[in-house]
Amino acid sequence: MSYNTFGHLFRVTTWGESHGPALGATVDGCPPGIEISEEFIQVFLDRRRPGQSKMTTQRQEPDRVRILSGVFEGRSTGTPIQLMIENTDQRSKDYGEIARQFRPGHADITYHQKYGIRDYRGGGRSSARETAARVAAGGVAQAVLKALVPELTITGYMVQMGEKHLDRSKFDAGEILNNPFFLPDASAVAEWTDYLSALRKGQNSVGAAVEVVATGCPVGLGAPIYAKMDSDLAAAMMTINAVKGVEIGEGMAAAALTGTENADEIVMGPNGPQYLSNHAGGILGGITTGQPIVVRFSVKPTSSILTPRRSINTAGEAVEVVTQGRHDPCVGIRAVPVAEAMMACVILDHLLMDRAQTGGQRGQIG
Amino acid sequence: MSYNTFGHLFRVTTWGESHGPALGATVDGCPPGIEISEEFIQVFLDRRRPGQSKMTTQRQEPDRVRILSGVFEGRSTGTPIQLMIENTDQRSKDYGEIARQFRPGHADITYHQKYGIRDYRGGGRSSARETAARVAAGGVAQAVLKALVPELTITGYMVQMGEKHLDRSKFDAGEILNNPFFLPDASAVAEWTDYLSALRKGQNSVGAAVEVVATGCPVGLGAPIYAKMDSDLAAAMMTINAVKGVEIGEGMAAAALTGTENADEIVMGPNGPQYLSNHAGGILGGITTGQPIVVRFSVKPTSSILTPRRSINTAGEAVEVVTQGRHDPCVGIRAVPVAEAMMACVILDHLLMDRAQTGGQRGQIG
Amino acid sequence: MSYNTFGHLFRVTTWGESHGPALGATVDGCPPGIEISEEFIQVFLDRRRPGQSKMTTQRQEPDRVRILSGVFEGRSTGTPIQLMIENTDQRSKDYGEIARQFRPGHADITYHQKYGIRDYRGGGRSSARETAARVAAGGVAQAVLKALVPELTITGYMVQMGEKHLDRSKFDAGEILNNPFFLPDASAVAEWTDYLSALRKGQNSVGAAVEVVATGCPVGLGAPIYAKMDSDLAAAMMTINAVKGVEIGEGMAAAALTGTENADEIVMGPNGPQYLSNHAGGILGGITTGQPIVVRFSVKPTSSILTPRRSINTAGEAVEVVTQGRHDPCVGIRAVPVAEAMMACVILDHLLMDRAQTGGQRGQIG
Amino acid sequence: MSYNTFGHLFRVTTWGESHGPALGATVDGCPPGIEISEEFIQVFLDRRRPGQSKMTTQRQEPDRVRILSGVFEGRSTGTPIQLMIENTDQRSKDYGEIARQFRPGHADITYHQKYGIRDYRGGGRSSARETAARVAAGGVAQAVLKALVPELTITGYMVQMGEKHLDRSKFDAGEILNNPFFLPDASAVAEWTDYLSALRKGQNSVGAAVEVVATGCPVGLGAPIYAKMDSDLAAAMMTINAVKGVEIGEGMAAAALTGTENADEIVMGPNGPQYLSNHAGGILGGITTGQPIVVRFSVKPTSSILTPRRSINTAGEAVEVVTQGRHDPCVGIRAVPVAEAMMACVILDHLLMDRAQTGGQRGQIG
């Protein structure tokens, strides 16, 4: 039982607040002998880093990760890996109002009620800044997966932002890292940019939906009944700030299908079973089929906005909340690399669990 | 780490296969001194029991629960509660084809590949029959919640079955237990009955969506970052057989909202903060607000259908699978009491976690 | 976190009270495809069974174990294995005094104070009868170890009973199962018998010390810092009723040694490193060396005795407690098979953990 | 499941190697609102710090702890507390021999075999330096206990060092912090000093035994069967480097007692039950009685000594190992504050577990 640890065997404990001296992740259970470097992890952190465009917060953080333990002469030793990111852009300012007011739609009020105390500076522990630590830990997971399952790829991208939807007929994975939206369609970038700029100027924010796909995942990962791959993925995505829904494969649309439509028929291919469709999203009975794992999730709009909202303060008095400061107009954008990191952690975790119970052996077909 | 245990402090381990001698749940962490009886638990099991209408499988099981430990003179002792349900309707028959074939959309193939062995009788461990054990454990959770949080109610109901959607303007909670669909609208029951009968006669099955709502839940339950109430609820629902999507509050629809639309404004009421809307579904930052907790999830159509589907067998040969036997045309129906049980377990679990860390004390407002 | 579960990956949850309808163990995490039968497990249970001599309680229990789940056609399926032992010798009697009085040296009073309720019949949950469930679970662990590490042996025996000590110069492992004391010295059995008979007739009981040795354990099991093999073994033994001390290798005597005496020197043998002594008891830095693992523990005298002792009752009144009934004069004797079971569980657990993290690969020497 | 985490609800994950840039502890589950400062924690670290006398290693480390998260304006927020101690005395030197040789009695060889890689600098992860992180975490536990159970005291001291034994008739708790041995008898300090100096000059080291006593611990902490207070204490002590045996109350001596001798008789006192003796060491059935909790453990002699010992190197060649460097002649001395820290963590952990399950309510007597 742990409040701030994620994972069964590859265990990531994140720590730190938005405006404290540092934040980071303690990674336990990493296999030994894996090549891991700060440079390798930094690539993932740089993707998530704010301040890169007007589409995300203007907070400037180099977000340099340091490895404090668990790696010796470039390889993991099997002992805990401590990843630390120092907070360098802690502006000294008066937090008076934020300290006493509760933003509607924000965790301010529930933290206050539960703990009786909260680090209100920049959202403290509930800030999206915590996800930097996850991305660093995800980098470690990616390094291990690269060594153990080199054919695995994990790719996240935006499929919706408010009224704008990805046109799947124009899907081009090669474009994802070429625009600030992680959008796999170059032709829509200008339109999405205008849409979000207008919202931002209108002192508003907007929701989003993100899809993450893993290809090349081995058959047989996942452990029924209560450590199902889909259950752990759903839990993982739902821990990301502002996420309100998670779907595997058909997701909520499965409610409208009939059994004949939904069944992914199977034929025998040269390398084993092949599926003629993937309504299941790569998971049956909580266990991976070898097909692409498809996860989608929604992110609610940023609750810190300039438009005044009715609320109360710690004294119980009515206030109008207007959140100044450097906030993403669409937090869903930066959720993309975070979701990739979470998926890397979950898949690695299940790979280790599977090695424990089955030794990685598979039942034969044919 | 456990494959078959659910919960942090109120821990439920289910065990048993569809056609073994018995199945059940081992419940650890139950507070002592709580009134618990087989009769109290049986009420919940009876709701889930198959064979009650043509809408669910015709398998006849009395599903009588026995308490084998942990309850003394009608009250819990704080030691593990063993709940056992004997399987009485184990028809002796030839399982030849099921033993060798893989049903499309079913866990047959992934269990075979992962474990190299599977109890194919009636689906074995992956049968929806496993959920009887959860409902029994949920009965224990309900008994504890009744004692500790008497104002709490947990109510599940169907909101969609294939093409049919609940008309929320006709919502009547009092009707839910009066029809085989757990449908809170008496006027739609005939139509839903005809729709499902036609599908069943057409040798087909259909998906569904279920909503579960908890009212009266205390403020402050849930533990950021990785034991958030919504994350644990999503994990819980996603462990239920055939579930493919989970939503909290606005769910996937949050992707389309703006920040001004989504913010649940707050005013001070006579008993503390009051929210003017509930887009959040009762949870902010992973912690309960005191508003109703609203969870929705989709259930894919039953994969065991009479319509032939292409598949392979254990020898890797192509086969046409036609699943004979007593199968629910819409497994989503019986997911309703299962989801209520899971929600009861999650809420109780978080109540105990909160007692551990904060002693149940709350930060004051006003 | 669990109160009644033992193990990290091979997880055993025992349940049941002394005089309830049944007790048992829920075993989760068992590798699939392992030959397991009730007969195989029964052998271990029969060793622990009471009523076999005057040296142990006269309670007559066949202690037949039933496998209710997780084994199909003679092999484990990777799903939870439920082991149930029905309590057949539940004498109907008046428990009046036991219900209200607290036996000195017994858990009666602490259970009462902690839980406010206790199943006083036969000691309820705190009865040594709970260890039958562990021995059954240990049988499952033994079956898995037999398949995965056939060269492993686990052997427990008595080394002390009150004033009597094993003469190690007469050690004969072949004699252990030939006498009611699990004593590896046939020549001392008569003397030990007389000694214990005299104590029993004197309405008294006596303590004991037990040693358990595992040979053939692979190198490299154990996980620093907080899942060390020795730490987990110490925890395991200390959970056995009445155990008050645990030693690894030199144990408490290590306090008297110098560094030159204690160092187990190493030479290179044909199959790898060889140690010239085994002060370490087969564990260095929490990790197995491949030498025999040597664990010793003490068991305090049975607290249920016929000699009157001063105590109080639930009303706080002074009473003289005389415990009638069928009690072992030396509970340490039956701790021998229990300790073997615990060691089997711990070693298997670490074998699975090691597979998870290292894949079972070993660093080479030479 | 975690390799480097200790505790159920108050969870401490230590990280770091002897000669890496830093080491520390991630503390999760700390109750909110507790006064915690670096100064408060530093007091405990200073007690453990090396370089204070010739009795311990001459390595000079200020061991300054920094709190990086989880504390805001002097009080805990309920979020993870990251404690970091930078390693300032990392001498640059040639580690050639240590890198290739295995010290007899040391974890060098098992780490190499298990992980295939080890940070050999100063013992890496297996260095006693790891215990600094525990002491820091123990400081957090002490701060919480001070707030929640102000009457609790935890006191550790040496009872044996090689041939020297504490004369209990001269026990004076007030002397413990006045000498480098944590010895509660001022009159023996000179003799112990001479004894250890002679051993050190003789290029040798020596074992020790330590006792830790907690007074004022509440009744009812501890959770049968597998989270017993004594089991968790035994596990905790056995995780400390070089510990080979753990005793509760009578410990191994319980094997020699009869039931009449061992029973701690009970009378009713003005504030509840009183015990006429404490053979049990404050724990019955795994649950605290309210009497002093008494734990003893042995520490083997330092394995790094100047006297040559036979061993092998990574090439499998025979070598004579002589360990140069700054090593404690008796590592047992510095185990005293470490053991106090572990006991504080275990007691707090059980206090939180008890709040979860029982709400802290106690069954009444009288």
Side-chain angles (χ1 to χ4, degrees):
Chain A
M1 222 273 354
S2 187
Y3 307 117
N4 290 278
T5 299
F6 184 78
H8 304 274
L9 288 177
F10 182 80
R11 291 174 69 82
V12 175
T13 306
T14 66
W15 54 271
E17 280 79 43
S18 177
H19 284 54
L23 51 76
T26 311
V27 178
D28 196 14
C30 184
I34 305 292
E35 276 188 39
I36 296 174
S37 67
E38 294 175 352
E39 293 68 34
F40 183 86
I41 297 172
Q42 192 64 44
V43 171
F44 298 96
L45 272 171
D46 287 347
R47 276 190 207 155
R48 182 207 157 276
R49 195 179 55 196
Q52 302 189 102
S53 80
K54 288 188 179 171
M55 300 307 117
T56 51
T57 171
Q58 293 306 297
R59 175 168 168 162
Q60 298 289 339
E61 291 274 9
D63 276 358
R64 299 299 309 177
V65 67
R66 284 186 65 200
I67 298 175
L68 297 184
S69 66
V71 176
F72 181 60
E73 298 182 342
R75 290 192 298 144
S76 63
T77 59
T79 62
I81 298 174
Q82 183 58 256
L83 305 165
M84 182 173 73
I85 299 164
E86 290 182 79
N87 289 324
T88 55
D89 188 24
Q90 304 161 242
R91 297 195 189 172
S92 173
K93 69 170 183 177
D94 173 21
Y95 287 97
E97 283 191 353
I98 283 182
R100 288 186 297 272
Q101 291 183 354
F102 305 122
R103 282 166 285 182
H106 198 277
D108 292 338
I109 189 167
T110 49
Y111 271 66
H112 174 87
Q113 288 182 296
K114 183 181 184 77
Y115 297 112
I117 177 177
R118 70 189 165 99
D119 181 349
Y120 45 75
R121 301 169 303 164
R125 182 73 181 146
S126 70
S127 166
R129 186 144 180 70
E130 181 270 342
T131 60
R134 307 183 190 212
V135 172
V140 173
Q142 295 270 15
V144 180
L145 288 169
K146 189 183 167 195
L148 300 183
V149 195
E151 63 277 21
L152 181 80
T153 68
I154 295 173
T155 311
Y157 43 86
M158 296 271 279
V159 295
Q160 185 186 354
M161 182 175 65
E163 300 167 3
K164 304 295 172 189
H165 290 260
L166 170 67
D167 179 349
R168 286 181 184 264
S169 70
K170 297 184 180 167
F171 186 95
D172 180 354
E175 291 295 331
I176 293 171
L177 297 182
N178 292 340
N179 64 76
F181 297 107
F182 300 103
L183 189 61
D185 173 10
S187 71
V189 172
E191 191 183 323
W192 285 45
T193 303
D194 293 346
Y195 176 70
L196 191 58
S197 294
L199 278 161
R200 189 166 51 86
K201 286 174 191 159
Q203 309 194 328
N204 214 338
S205 61
V206 75
V210 172
E211 190 166 277
V212 198
V213 176
T215 64
C217 182
V219 174
L221 305 191
I225 303 290
Y226 301 110
K228 284 179 171 168
M229 175 63 84
D230 34 0
S231 173
D232 281 358
L233 284 170
M237 299 309 159
M238 203 62 104
T239 65
I240 301 174
N241 310 46
V243 171
K244 300 304 287 183
V246 183
E247 303 188 308
I248 307 290
E250 283 291 332
M252 296 305 292
L257 295 181
T258 64
T260 49
E261 291 163 347
N262 184 67
D264 298 315
E265 294 185 301
I266 314 172
V267 296
M268 195 65 186
N271 303 312
Q274 287 183 347
Y275 296 83
L276 303 182
S277 54
N278 190 15
H279 298 286
I283 302 169
L284 287 174
I287 301 171
T288 55
T289 62
Q291 284 198 288
I293 301 174
V294 182
V295 181
R296 254 182 330 282
F297 60 90
S298 64
V299 186
K300 71 178 185 185
T302 316
S303 45
S304 298
I305 50 178
L306 284 161
T307 305
R309 296 283 95 187
R310 297 175 60 184
S311 187
I312 58 175
N313 62 18
T314 53
E317 301 158 340
V319 293
E320 287 249 305
V321 173
V322 175
T323 312
Q324 308 290 345
R326 304 155 297 170
H327 295 284
D328 287 357
C330 176
V331 284
I333 298 173
R334 287 205 285 144
V336 173
V338 179
E340 290 175 335
M342 295 309 283
M343 192 181 246
C345 290
V346 171
I347 290 175
L348 175 57
D349 195 26
H350 276 279
L351 188 78
L352 301 183
M353 278 195 277
D354 184 66
R355 296 211 299 199
Q357 195 178 11
T358 72
Q361 296 183 324
R362 289 288 85 92
Q364 294 308 303
I365 294 178
Chain B
M1 223 271 354
S2 186
Y3 307 116
N4 290 278
T5 299
F6 184 78
H8 305 274
L9 288 177
F10 183 79
R11 291 173 68 81
V12 175
T13 306
T14 67
W15 54 271
E17 280 79 42
S18 177
H19 284 55
L23 50 77
T26 312
V27 178
D28 196 14
C30 184
I34 305 291
E35 276 188 40
I36 296 174
S37 67
E38 293 175 351
E39 294 67 35
F40 183 86
I41 298 171
Q42 193 63 45
V43 171
F44 298 95
L45 272 170
D46 288 347
R47 275 188 208 157
R48 180 207 159 275
R49 195 178 55 196
Q52 302 190 105
S53 80
K54 288 188 180 172
M55 301 307 118
T56 52
T57 171
Q58 292 307 297
R59 175 168 169 162
Q60 298 289 339
E61 293 273 10
D63 277 358
R64 300 300 307 179
V65 66
R66 285 187 63 200
I67 298 174
L68 297 183
S69 67
V71 177
F72 181 61
E73 297 182 343
R75 290 191 297 145
S76 62
T77 58
T79 63
I81 299 174
Q82 183 59 254
L83 305 166
M84 182 173 72
I85 301 164
E86 291 183 77
N87 288 324
T88 55
D89 187 24
Q90 304 161 243
R91 295 193 191 174
S92 173
K93 69 168 180 178
D94 174 22
Y95 287 97
E97 283 190 351
I98 283 181
R100 287 184 298 271
Q101 291 182 353
F102 304 122
R103 282 166 285 181
H106 198 277
D108 292 338
I109 189 167
T110 49
Y111 270 67
H112 174 87
Q113 289 182 294
K114 183 181 185 79
Y115 297 113
I117 178 176
R118 69 190 165 98
D119 181 347
Y120 45 76
R121 300 168 304 166
R125 181 72 180 148
S126 70
S127 167
R129 187 145 178 70
E130 182 269 344
T131 60
R134 307 184 190 210
V135 172
V140 174
Q142 296 269 15
V144 180
L145 288 169
K146 189 182 166 193
L148 299 184
V149 195
E151 63 276 21
L152 181 79
T153 68
I154 295 173
T155 310
Y157 44 86
M158 296 271 279
V159 295
Q160 184 186 354
M161 183 176 64
E163 300 168 3
K164 303 296 173 189
H165 291 259
L166 170 67
D167 179 349
R168 286 181 184 265
S169 71
K170 297 185 180 169
F171 186 97
D172 181 354
E175 290 296 330
I176 292 170
L177 296 181
N178 292 340
N179 64 77
F181 298 106
F182 300 103
L183 189 61
D185 172 12
S187 71
V189 171
E191 190 183 323
W192 285 45
T193 303
D194 293 346
Y195 175 71
L196 191 58
S197 294
L199 277 162
R200 188 166 52 85
K201 286 174 190 159
Q203 309 194 328
N204 214 337
S205 62
V206 74
V210 172
E211 191 166 277
V212 198
V213 176
T215 64
C217 182
V219 174
L221 305 192
I225 301 291
Y226 301 111
K228 284 178 171 168
M229 175 63 85
D230 32 2
S231 173
D232 280 358
L233 284 170
M237 298 309 159
M238 203 61 104
T239 65
I240 301 174
N241 310 47
V243 170
K244 300 303 288 182
V246 183
E247 303 187 308
I248 307 289
E250 283 291 332
M252 296 305 293
L257 295 181
T258 63
T260 49
E261 290 164 348
N262 183 67
D264 298 316
E265 294 186 301
I266 314 171
V267 296
M268 197 62 187
N271 303 311
Q274 285 183 347
Y275 297 82
L276 304 182
S277 54
N278 190 14
H279 298 283
I283 301 169
L284 286 174
I287 302 170
T288 55
T289 62
Q291 284 199 291
I293 301 174
V294 181
V295 181
R296 250 178 336 277
F297 61 91
S298 64
V299 186
K300 71 179 185 185
T302 316
S303 46
S304 300
I305 51 177
L306 284 160
T307 305
R309 294 283 96 188
R310 296 176 61 185
S311 187
I312 58 175
N313 63 18
T314 53
E317 300 158 341
V319 294
E320 287 249 303
V321 173
V322 176
T323 313
Q324 309 290 345
R326 305 155 297 172
H327 295 283
D328 286 357
C330 177
V331 283
I333 299 172
R334 287 204 284 143
V336 172
V338 179
E340 290 175 334
M342 295 309 283
M343 191 180 246
C345 290
V346 171
I347 290 175
L348 175 56
D349 195 26
H350 276 279
L351 188 78
L352 302 184
M353 279 195 277
D354 184 65
R355 294 210 300 200
Q357 194 178 10
T358 72
Q361 295 183 324
R362 289 287 85 94
Q364 294 308 303
I365 295 178
Chain C
M1 222 277 349
S2 187
Y3 307 116
N4 290 278
T5 299
F6 184 78
H8 305 274
L9 289 176
F10 183 79
R11 291 173 68 82
V12 174
T13 307
T14 66
W15 54 271
E17 279 79 41
S18 178
H19 285 55
L23 50 78
T26 311
V27 178
D28 197 13
C30 184
I34 305 292
E35 276 188 40
I36 296 174
S37 67
E38 293 174 352
E39 293 68 34
F40 183 86
I41 298 171
Q42 193 64 45
V43 171
F44 298 96
L45 272 171
D46 287 349
R47 276 190 207 155
R48 181 207 157 275
R49 195 178 56 197
Q52 302 190 104
S53 80
K54 288 188 178 172
M55 299 308 117
T56 52
T57 170
Q58 292 308 297
R59 175 167 169 163
Q60 298 290 338
E61 292 274 7
D63 276 359
R64 300 300 309 178
V65 66
R66 285 186 64 200
I67 298 175
L68 296 183
S69 66
V71 176
F72 181 60
E73 297 182 343
R75 290 191 298 145
S76 62
T77 59
T79 62
I81 298 174
Q82 183 58 255
L83 305 165
M84 182 173 72
I85 300 164
E86 290 183 79
N87 289 324
T88 55
D89 187 24
Q90 305 162 241
R91 297 196 190 171
S92 174
K93 69 169 182 178
D94 174 21
Y95 287 97
E97 283 191 351
I98 284 181
R100 288 186 297 272
Q101 291 182 353
F102 305 122
R103 282 165 285 181
H106 197 277
D108 292 338
I109 190 167
T110 50
Y111 270 66
H112 174 87
Q113 288 183 295
K114 182 181 186 79
Y115 298 113
I117 177 176
R118 69 189 166 99
D119 181 348
Y120 45 76
R121 300 167 305 164
R125 180 75 181 146
S126 71
S127 166
R129 187 146 178 69
E130 181 269 343
T131 60
R134 306 182 189 212
V135 171
V140 173
Q142 296 270 15
V144 180
L145 288 169
K146 189 183 166 192
L148 300 184
V149 195
E151 62 276 21
L152 181 80
T153 68
I154 296 172
T155 310
Y157 43 87
M158 297 271 279
V159 294
Q160 184 185 353
M161 183 176 65
E163 300 168 4
K164 303 296 173 189
H165 291 260
L166 170 66
D167 178 349
R168 286 180 185 264
S169 70
K170 297 184 180 167
F171 186 96
D172 180 355
E175 290 296 330
I176 293 170
L177 297 182
N178 292 339
N179 65 77
F181 297 107
F182 301 102
L183 188 61
D185 173 11
S187 71
V189 171
E191 190 183 324
W192 285 45
T193 302
D194 292 346
Y195 176 70
L196 191 59
S197 294
L199 278 161
R200 188 167 51 86
K201 285 174 191 160
Q203 310 195 329
N204 214 337
S205 62
V206 75
V210 172
E211 190 166 277
V212 198
V213 176
T215 64
C217 182
V219 173
L221 305 190
I225 302 292
Y226 301 110
K228 284 179 171 169
M229 175 64 84
D230 34 1
S231 173
D232 281 358
L233 284 170
M237 299 308 159
M238 203 63 102
T239 66
I240 301 174
N241 310 47
V243 170
K244 301 303 288 182
V246 182
E247 302 187 309
I248 307 290
E250 282 291 333
M252 296 305 294
L257 295 181
T258 64
T260 49
E261 291 164 346
N262 183 67
D264 298 315
E265 294 186 301
I266 314 172
V267 296
M268 195 64 185
N271 303 312
Q274 285 183 347
Y275 297 83
L276 303 183
S277 54
N278 190 16
H279 298 285
I283 302 170
L284 286 174
I287 302 170
T288 55
T289 62
Q291 285 198 290
I293 301 174
V294 182
V295 181
R296 251 180 333 281
F297 60 90
S298 64
V299 186
K300 71 178 186 186
T302 316
S303 45
S304 299
I305 50 177
L306 283 161
T307 305
R309 296 281 95 187
R310 296 176 61 184
S311 186
I312 58 175
N313 62 17
T314 53
E317 301 158 341
V319 292
E320 287 249 302
V321 173
V322 176
T323 312
Q324 308 290 344
R326 306 155 296 170
H327 295 283
D328 286 358
C330 176
V331 284
I333 299 173
R334 288 205 283 145
V336 173
V338 179
E340 291 175 334
M342 295 308 283
M343 191 181 246
C345 290
V346 171
I347 290 175
L348 175 57
D349 195 26
H350 276 279
L351 189 77
L352 301 184
M353 278 195 276
D354 183 65
R355 296 211 299 200
Q357 195 179 9
T358 72
Q361 296 182 324
R362 289 287 85 93
Q364 293 308 304
I365 295 177
Chain D
M1 223 271 354
S2 187
Y3 306 117
N4 289 279
T5 300
F6 184 77
H8 305 274
L9 289 177
F10 182 79
R11 290 174 70 81
V12 175
T13 306
T14 66
W15 54 271
E17 280 78 42
S18 177
H19 283 55
L23 49 78
T26 312
V27 178
D28 197 13
C30 184
I34 305 292
E35 276 188 39
I36 296 174
S37 67
E38 293 175 351
E39 293 67 35
F40 184 85
I41 298 171
Q42 193 63 45
V43 171
F44 298 95
L45 272 171
D46 287 348
R47 275 188 208 158
R48 181 207 157 275
R49 195 177 57 196
Q52 303 190 105
S53 80
K54 289 188 180 172
M55 301 307 118
T56 52
T57 171
Q58 291 307 299
R59 176 169 169 160
Q60 297 289 340
E61 292 274 10
D63 277 358
R64 299 302 307 178
V65 67
R66 284 186 63 200
I67 298 175
L68 297 184
S69 67
V71 176
F72 181 61
E73 298 182 343
R75 289 191 299 145
S76 62
T77 59
T79 62
I81 299 174
Q82 182 59 255
L83 305 165
M84 182 173 73
I85 300 163
E86 290 183 78
N87 288 324
T88 54
D89 188 24
Q90 304 161 241
R91 295 194 191 173
S92 173
K93 70 169 180 177
D94 174 22
Y95 286 98
E97 283 190 354
I98 283 181
R100 288 185 298 271
Q101 291 182 354
F102 305 122
R103 282 165 285 181
H106 197 276
D108 293 338
I109 189 167
T110 49
Y111 270 67
H112 174 87
Q113 290 182 294
K114 183 181 185 79
Y115 298 114
I117 178 176
R118 68 189 166 98
D119 181 347
Y120 46 76
R121 299 168 304 166
R125 181 71 180 148
S126 71
S127 166
R129 185 143 179 70
E130 181 269 343
T131 60
R134 307 183 190 210
V135 172
V140 173
Q142 295 269 17
V144 180
L145 289 168
K146 188 182 167 193
L148 299 184
V149 195
E151 63 277 21
L152 181 80
T153 67
I154 296 173
T155 310
Y157 44 86
M158 297 271 278
V159 294
Q160 184 186 355
M161 182 175 65
E163 299 168 4
K164 303 297 173 190
H165 291 259
L166 169 67
D167 179 349
R168 286 181 184 265
S169 70
K170 297 185 179 166
F171 186 96
D172 180 355
E175 291 296 330
I176 293 171
L177 297 181
N178 292 341
N179 64 77
F181 298 106
F182 300 104
L183 189 61
D185 172 12
S187 72
V189 172
E191 190 183 324
W192 285 45
T193 303
D194 293 345
Y195 175 71
L196 191 59
S197 295
L199 278 161
R200 188 166 53 84
K201 286 173 190 158
Q203 309 195 328
N204 214 338
S205 62
V206 74
V210 171
E211 190 166 277
V212 198
V213 176
T215 64
C217 181
V219 173
L221 305 191
I225 302 291
Y226 301 111
K228 283 178 172 169
M229 175 62 84
D230 32 2
S231 174
D232 281 358
L233 284 170
M237 299 308 159
M238 203 62 104
T239 65
I240 302 174
N241 309 48
V243 171
K244 300 303 289 181
V246 183
E247 303 187 307
I248 307 289
E250 282 291 331
M252 296 305 292
L257 295 181
T258 64
T260 49
E261 290 163 348
N262 183 68
D264 296 317
E265 294 186 300
I266 314 171
V267 296
M268 197 63 186
N271 303 312
Q274 286 182 347
Y275 297 82
L276 303 182
S277 54
N278 190 15
H279 298 284
I283 302 170
L284 286 173
I287 301 170
T288 55
T289 62
Q291 283 197 291
I293 302 174
V294 181
V295 181
R296 251 180 334 278
F297 60 91
S298 64
V299 185
K300 71 178 184 185
T302 316
S303 44
S304 299
I305 50 177
L306 283 161
T307 305
R309 295 283 96 188
R310 295 176 61 184
S311 186
I312 57 174
N313 62 18
T314 54
E317 300 158 342
V319 293
E320 287 249 304
V321 173
V322 176
T323 312
Q324 308 289 346
R326 305 156 295 172
H327 295 284
D328 287 358
C330 177
V331 284
I333 298 172
R334 287 204 284 144
V336 173
V338 179
E340 290 175 334
M342 296 308 284
M343 191 180 246
C345 290
V346 171
I347 290 175
L348 175 56
D349 195 25
H350 276 279
L351 188 77
L352 301 184
M353 279 195 277
D354 184 65
R355 293 212 299 200
Q357 194 178 11
T358 72
Q361 295 183 324
R362 289 287 85 94
Q364 294 308 304
I365 296 178

